[in-house]
Amino acid sequence: MLFKDTSTNHLVEVADIVTLSNPYELTVVGRYLWGEEMQDPEVFDKTQLCFLSGESLPRCWHDSRYRDREVRRLRCGTRAAEDGDYYQGA
């Protein structure tokens, strides 16, 4: 699958989509696409990759705690306006 490195705007080919979509993996192995020869594999930070359209990767692909607020709200019975980044007790 092709992505764009936001720091260099070069194309990056990522073969392992499972690692890419795993929120507990912060990096992914890929190759830059330039020149006629295949480039050596490199490790890329997932937060530095985006889709070719410029849209960033889904938060659930790089943040393992992306649903913490929603879970806290359901367990504690708070509304979105009252929800903060602190534990409110049960």
Side-chain angles (χ1 to χ4, degrees), residues 1 5-6 10 12-14 18 21 23-25 27 33 40-41 43 47 49 55 59 66-67 69-70 72 77 87 89:
M1 193 168 192
D5 184 0
T6 56
H10 291 295
V12 176
E13 179 183 21
V14 176
V18 174
S21 62
Y24 297 101
E25 295 286 339
T27 59
L33 291 180
D40 294 329
V43 177
T47 59
L49 296 177
E55 182 182 355
R59 186 173 166 202
Y66 76 102
R67 293 189 69 194
R69 285 187 176 185
E70 181 181 352
R72 187 180 315 124
Y87 179 71

Side-chain angles (χ1 to χ4, degrees), residues 20-57:
L20 182 67
S21 62
N22 183 353
Y24 297 101
E25 295 286 339
L26 301 178
T27 59
V28 66
V29 176
R31 299 174 189 260
Y32 279 117
L33 291 180
W34 63 35
E36 295 181 13
E37 297 179 8
M38 185 174 278
Q39 304 297 315
D40 294 329
E42 296 183 37
V43 177
F44 294 93
D45 185 10
K46 289 198 285 188
T47 59
Q48 295 296 318
L49 296 177
C50 68
F51 291 106
L52 298 179
S53 64
E55 182 182 355
S56 62
L57 297 180

Side-chain angles (χ1 to χ4, degrees), residues 66-78 83:
Y66 76 102
R67 293 189 69 194
D68 281 358
R69 285 187 176 185
E70 181 181 352
V71 170
R72 187 180 315 124
R73 190 169 39 250
L74 291 173
R75 284 187 183 163
C76 300
T78 60
D83 195 15

